[in-house]
Amino acid sequence: MKISGAHIVCESFLKENVDVVFGYPGGAVLPFYDTLYQYDKIRHILVRHEQGAAHAADAYARVTGKVGVCIATSGPGATNLVTGIANAYLDSSPMVAITGQVARPFIGKDAFQEVDITGITLPITKHNYLVMKASDLPEIIKESFYLARTGRPGPVHIDIPRDVFTELAEFNYPDKVTFPGYKVKPQGHPTQIKKAAALINAAQQPVILAGRGVLVSNATGELKELVEKAQIPVITTLLGISCFPESHALSFGMIGMHGTAYANMAVDAADVVIAIGMRFDDRATGRISGFAPRAKIVHIDVDAAEIGKNVRVNVPIVGDVKHVLKSLNPLINESSRFAWITQLECWREEHPSTDIRECDGILPQYVINKIHEVTGGNATIVTGVGQNQMWSARYFWYNKPNSFISSGGLGTMGFELPAALGAKIGRPEENVWCVAGDGGFQMTIQELATIVQEKAAVKIAIINNGFLGMVRQWQELFYEKRYAATPLWSPDFVKIAEAYGIPGLRVTDKLQVLPAIQQAMEYDGPFLIDFVVEPEENIYPMVPPGASLAEIMEEPRETVHMGKNSSKHISNL
Amino acid sequence: METKIHTLVALVRDKPGVLNRIASLFRRRGFNIDSIAVGPSVETGLSRVTVGVSGSDAEVEQVRKQWEKVIDVVKVSDITSEPMVTRELALIKVKASRVERSEIIQIVDIFRANIIDVAHDSLTIEVTGDGNKLSSLYILLKDFGIKEIARTGRIAMTRGAGKPL
């Protein structure tokens, strides 16, 4: 029996176990929405801007491990998805984005709401399709989901003309896909794995650099086994956060521009760097020529093109992290590496990057710290981009995989609110906190309405410093405090929340921080807190742009131990 | 690092937009295409693409790997260091008065090229060979005045019984 293209899409969704889609209707996708209306099993979440649909699908994918799906109409609907698709591409998030297109006879005629969206998404997708026949849909959708989630995950975009949605075709969903040119090689070459093992066993001062690939490949257990067997300190990238419990004695924080001092010092001193599921982003490595100058590098990544792209590698292993670690771990000798670990612990004592200075006003670090305290660390933190992101990365300790959701590669301000929505939809039982800056929050503020409509109990913490904080910090440090276009007026966020039907609090007194977070947690529903923080607080340490990790700038002021922070590790030894 | 022109040969699926994907990738990653030629391969549904790209070995290896990541691309090989034959074809329309005609024909013979069109004031020459041969002929013909030239990209194949691509 023949069914319409729109039905084929919905039936294919069911085959792929899609139960949630994020989208926004419009002319070209109208036939699809009319059909989707009949499918009770597929929950459609109406965002307020298509960018929000893409970010929500991205975050949904990150917390569930499923493929996130977003839908938009042709033209402006499709172009509004672009930032979200690029975000998913750079952070290797599995996503299928569906756009409507003008009917086939109108393609290329500059028709109303026509844009060459496959031309636009070509360099920001793993693959994309313009569907010219309804009978091609089953195969294309099967391929798209397969590509999105296998190998190095990423977004796949399908552009479907309006009249393909209405065209009738047989629905036979293929069992498997055939790609002559797409090979996923998960195993890793045995010879290379042996070489890596020999290098690791002989290492005196090894470090592990763990990235998002560990989370994607579900290899947190294998990583822990390797770490404990060989006693190798673990340092994560920004997106690697939560792939290894931060309460673990061998967890040494984050590498990079705003990483911990001791992590960066350890990488600088290491004789072997074992990079696992990470891609040597410039924000992580600092100046490449000064990166890990003493180290031989083992690089495990499923994407062959990442090997040797930025950093010279001594032992490349192309493969899925989980598979490779399973083969590697038995070849690793048990070891104590007592001297090296003691050295790192000393550095951590001498450069306690997680301490918070004494201050009468509210420090952003203090706010994040208190969210950790109230939630007991039992929360998924979804951040914006900039200072709020770095404070969230550093002053909350992540122990559960995929509990830190952030825009790493693209650095998309405005990611936080729609992503928190997507995370909450994916993890309804979990505490989901959206940590936003006052700048980024206003980029996608309209998704408050979606949160209310979907009854998503997202807790929102705005770190309100009245500036575009990270840019201001650079202006302070590198542009002689010329604050060009960074002072930021904002509306009364509590009143805004109220207008959306979300209760909120404005917190200006340090003593109110803790009770406000408690109140938010106790409230059954979304809740917003506007934390008015010290306006010119900087995030330290910082590796200045163009400097190597060894040239880290630490906080110039006196720091005071706050008890909890320094006891983080000690209590877990 | 030593920069030279590498010859990359690829098999790609005959899908709409596949050349666009390849061109977009080269542009996006900042690699310069020195020459490109596309045609059918032994296998139906697959095209063979030959690209000349200049760079160091490491840079070109990065090109090759990024290129191989394109979903419609089946395989990419860098055959630069292997024994191979390369060919280009050029059509050259050269000014030729009655007096000059015989001299031009002599040059064409030396280069084992062909004259494929004759007009009262011009000759059109077809020449195949490697890039150097084509350039040498071009230089000699320049003295007569070249009206038009069309030149293909380079195609390449490894010699002998080596493993086919």
Side-chain angles (χ1 to χ4, degrees):
Chain A
M1 193 189 74
K2 289 188 171 182
I3 57 174
S4 73
H7 269 103
I8 292 175
V9 176
C10 291
E11 289 295 328
S12 304
F13 279 179
L14 294 181
K15 293 277 185 193
E16 294 293 340
N17 297 317
V18 173
D19 44 16
V20 181
V21 297
F22 301 87
Y24 205 106
V29 282
L30 205 49
F32 171 71
Y33 270 86
D34 188 51
T35 305
L36 185 66
Y37 192 64
Q38 304 160 32
Y39 283 78
D40 293 340
K41 283 184 186 162
I42 303 168
R43 177 180 178 190
H44 180 272
I45 291 174
L46 173 69
V47 292
R48 294 300 181 273
H49 183 287
E50 291 85 350
Q51 184 188 348
H55 289 326
D58 177 340
Y60 176 85
R62 294 192 207 194
V63 300
T64 61
K66 295 166 73 174
V67 176
V69 178
C70 58
I71 299 161
T73 194
S74 66
T79 54
N80 279 347
L81 282 182
V82 167
T83 301
I85 294 173
N87 192 78
Y89 185 63
L90 282 167
D91 288 352
S92 312
S93 197
M95 181 199 281
V96 168
I98 296 200
T99 53
Q101 182 55 278
V102 299
R104 283 167 292 182
F106 293 96
I107 290 178
K109 306 290 191 325
D110 302 318
F112 177 65
Q113 292 194 329
E114 186 198 359
V115 75
D116 171 21
I117 192 64
T118 44
I120 291 172
T121 62
L122 192 145
I124 53 163
T125 50
K126 196 167 165 183
H127 197 51
N128 65 10
Y129 298 88
L130 170 60
V131 186
M132 291 306 276
K133 288 201 302 269
S135 58
D136 289 344
L137 275 168
E139 193 183 12
I140 286 174
I141 296 174
K142 176 83 187 176
E143 288 178 0
S144 298
F145 278 85
Y146 177 78
L147 288 173
R149 70 169 173 262
T150 56
R152 178 177 178 176
V156 178
H157 167 220
I158 313 174
D159 195 25
I160 307 176
R162 192 180 202 277
D163 59 338
V164 171
F165 280 126
T166 52
E167 188 178 50
L168 298 179
E170 291 290 341
F171 178 66
N172 293 310
Y173 205 63
D175 292 332
K176 54 179 184 203
V177 293
T178 40
F179 281 111
Y182 180 72
K183 300 163 225 75
V184 181
K185 292 180 198 148
Q187 302 300 343
H189 199 287
T191 315
Q192 293 297 96
I193 293 174
K194 270 184 209 146
K195 273 192 208 163
L199 198 58
I200 295 166
N201 287 334
Q204 303 289 313
Q205 306 192 341
V207 296
I208 286 173
L209 288 182
R212 194 170 124 70
V214 176
L215 291 164
V216 169
S217 137
N218 222 346
T220 52
E222 287 75 9
L223 174 64
K224 197 162 174 228
E225 191 193 333
L226 169 65
V227 170
E228 289 180 345
K229 194 172 181 189
Q231 292 289 302
I232 303 175
V234 179
I235 293 160
T236 69
T237 64
L238 178 73
L239 290 187
I241 288 176
S242 83
C243 79
F244 186 76
E246 295 200 276
S247 57
H248 196 285
L250 290 171
S251 167
F252 284 88
M254 181 174 84
I255 189 183
M257 186 172 271
H258 293 291
T260 55
Y262 43 86
N264 287 326
M265 292 161 82
V267 173
D268 189 65
D271 61 354
V272 172
V273 167
I274 307 140
I276 309 179
M278 56 85 75
R279 61 180 177 87
F280 296 102
D281 178 87
D282 54 279
R283 286 294 194 271
T285 60
R287 194 181 69 245
I288 287 285
S289 58
F291 176 76
R294 288 157 260 279
K296 288 212 157 63
I297 296 175
V298 176
H299 190 187
I300 305 169
D301 203 285
V302 75
D303 182 354
E306 286 302 342
I307 309 271
K309 185 180 80 178
N310 294 341
V311 165
R312 75 203 143 75
V313 173
N314 302 85
V315 183
I317 303 175
V318 179
D320 176 72
V321 170
K322 193 181 185 82
H323 280 95
V324 172
L325 290 187
K326 271 189 173 165
S327 312
L328 178 67
N329 287 352
L331 309 178
I332 298 295
N333 299 338
E334 280 188 37
S335 179
S336 76
R337 297 204 163 84
F338 183 75
W340 173 232
I341 289 163
T342 308
Q343 172 68 72
L344 262 74
E345 281 164 355
C346 285
W347 284 335
R348 180 157 66 193
E349 283 301 307
E350 287 161 17
H351 307 271
S353 301
T354 51
D355 283 2
I356 302 170
R357 74 188 163 88
E358 199 130 42
C359 176
D360 293 335
I362 302 174
L363 290 177
Q365 315 71 310
Y366 180 81
V367 173
I368 306 296
N369 195 249
K370 290 297 164 200
I371 294 175
H372 182 267
E373 195 177 313
V374 174
T375 59
N378 186 18
T380 296
I381 305 293
V382 186
T383 80
V385 168
Q387 288 181 318
N388 70 80
Q389 179 183 33
M390 295 302 148
W391 281 314
S392 298
R394 292 258 313 283
Y395 292 87
F396 192 101
W397 331 131
Y398 300 88
N399 291 316
K400 184 182 167 184
N402 292 306
S403 54
F404 175 77
I405 306 296
S406 198
S407 166
L410 193 65
T412 314
M413 284 172 70
F415 173 77
E416 55 273 53
L417 192 59
L421 163 74
K424 185 67 186 174
I425 300 293
R427 283 183 176 166
E429 304 305 320
E430 236 199 63
N431 299 317
V432 173
W433 275 84
C434 167
V435 178
D438 43 337
F441 186 62
Q442 292 182 74
M443 284 191 169
T444 48
I445 194 167
Q446 69 281 358
E447 301 306 338
L448 286 172
T450 316
I451 283 169
V452 173
Q453 186 168 349
E454 295 299 328
K455 300 187 174 61
V458 172
K459 313 296 178 185
I460 301 156
I462 302 173
I463 306 299
N464 186 348
N465 55 13
F467 281 105
L468 299 172
M470 186 62 96
V471 182
R472 187 209 56 76
Q473 176 168 342
W474 283 49
Q475 289 170 332
E476 177 189 328
L477 298 174
F478 313 116
Y479 293 86
E480 295 161 330
K481 285 201 177 191
R482 289 187 298 276
Y483 290 166
T486 44
L488 183 74
W489 178 88
S490 291
D492 182 333
F493 290 123
V494 175
K495 277 190 181 157
I496 294 261
E498 194 188 320
Y500 280 99
I502 297 174
L505 290 171
R506 183 176 169 89
V507 176
T508 52
D509 177 358
K510 193 175 172 181
L511 294 173
Q512 290 306 310
V513 172
L514 192 74
I517 297 167
Q518 281 165 339
Q519 199 179 328
M521 289 295 287
E522 281 157 18
Y523 182 75
D524 182 20
F527 198 97
L528 179 145
I529 311 172
D530 179 17
F531 290 103
V532 180
V533 300
E534 284 295 292
E536 296 189 52
E537 182 66 7
N538 288 337
I539 171 88
Y540 284 109
M542 178 177 191
V543 176
S548 76
L549 295 183
E551 301 162 87
I552 195 159
M553 284 165 65
E554 296 197 68
E555 186 162 10
R557 292 163 292 214
E558 276 293 294
T559 60
V560 178
H561 289 253
M562 298 275 295
K564 165 140 197 345
N565 306 302
S566 46
S567 69
K568 169 192 171 190
H569 296 277
I570 292 159
S571 63
N572 286 291
L573 277 176
Chain B
M1 272 183 291
E2 191 204 350
T3 297
K4 62 169 184 261
I5 291 183
H6 289 245
T7 303
L8 299 186
V9 183
L11 288 178
V12 306
R13 291 216 283 176
D14 248 337
K15 292 264 178 176
V18 67
L19 265 187
N20 188 17
R21 289 180 199 281
I22 296 166
S24 166
L25 169 82
F26 276 76
R27 176 195 53 77
R28 142 99 180 82
R29 301 271 172 192
F31 306 132
N32 271 327
I33 296 178
D34 175 67
S35 93
I36 183 165
V38 190
S41 73
V42 180
E43 232 175 297
T44 31
L46 295 183
S47 295
R48 184 178 169 116
V49 182
T50 312
V51 165
V53 58
S54 64
S56 67
D57 288 352
E59 282 165 351
V60 175
E61 176 60 5
Q62 179 60 205
V63 177
R64 194 193 64 75
K65 288 199 279 194
Q66 293 290 356
W67 190 4
E68 212 160 50
K69 257 171 79 174
V70 176
I71 302 295
D72 285 335
V73 173
V74 179
K75 192 179 180 197
V76 185
S77 303
D78 183 348
I79 60 168
T80 313
S81 58
E82 293 176 47
M84 61 169 166
V85 282
T86 66
R87 285 292 179 271
E88 291 173 46
L89 184 146
L91 299 178
I92 306 168
K93 190 179 284 178
V94 63
K95 281 185 196 161
S97 64
R98 241 175 250 173
V99 193
E100 291 162 333
R101 208 176 271 163
S102 60
E103 195 185 340
I104 294 172
I105 290 169
Q106 275 179 17
I107 294 171
V108 165
D109 283 344
I110 293 166
F111 278 83
R112 277 180 281 167
N114 299 313
I115 292 166
I116 55 169
D117 186 54
V118 184
H120 66 273
D121 62 347
S122 74
L123 289 171
T124 302
I125 296 152
E126 172 205 340
V127 59
T128 55
D130 64 16
N132 289 337
K133 176 179 166 185
L134 268 59
S135 300
S136 311
L137 177 61
Y138 177 80
I139 289 164
L140 286 174
L141 293 175
K142 238 165 99 179
D143 295 342
F144 302 95
I146 288 171
K147 294 169 76 115
E148 212 176 330
I149 181 163
R151 195 162 162 175
T152 64
R154 185 153 41 106
I155 52 171
M157 198 171 278
T158 52
R159 284 178 186 274
K163 210 172 74 177
L165 182 77

